[in-house]
Amino acid sequence: VAPDLKVSLRLVGPNGVAVWQRDRAPGDGSFPSSAWQSGQPVDDRIAVRLPADLAPGDYTWRVVVYDAATVSEQASATLGPLTVVGP
């Protein structure tokens, strides 16, 4: 495993642009990718606080794992939908 991976959790709008994003080292730095073993699952939790002015609509959660040095994507997945309704 590359020694310096980062995780990006993104909320993507219908136009494909991220409207919210949080990037960080796995486990908030407590479990660096250099310590990972092949085939070992990695549990990582990211707190989410969306902007109060987020427009109503349909969004998609996406997670991207990338090499911090080169910013090259190593893996990605779509996690599921989120529908924001008005106040």
Side-chain angles (χ1 to χ4, degrees):
V1 175
D4 195 15
L5 295 179
K6 289 213 173 176
V7 177
S8 178
L9 179 62
R10 302 170 185 176
L11 185 62
V12 179
N15 60 358
V17 175
V19 296
W20 180 91
Q21 181 171 328
R22 181 156 183 221
D23 292 50
R24 65 188 187 107
D28 247 352
S30 65
F31 194 34
S33 57
S34 58
W36 296 358
Q37 300 296 316
S38 181
Q40 175 187 23
V42 176
D43 183 23
D44 194 10
R45 297 169 190 254
I46 299 176
V48 174
R49 181 172 295 185
L50 298 176
D53 62 348
L54 187 61
D58 294 322
Y59 298 86
T60 303
W61 287 109
R62 183 163 170 77
V63 66
V64 176
V65 178
Y66 64 94
D67 183 321
T70 64
V71 194
S72 62
E73 188 175 304
Q74 303 295 306
S76 66
T78 298
L79 302 179
L82 172 73
T83 300
V84 175
V85 295

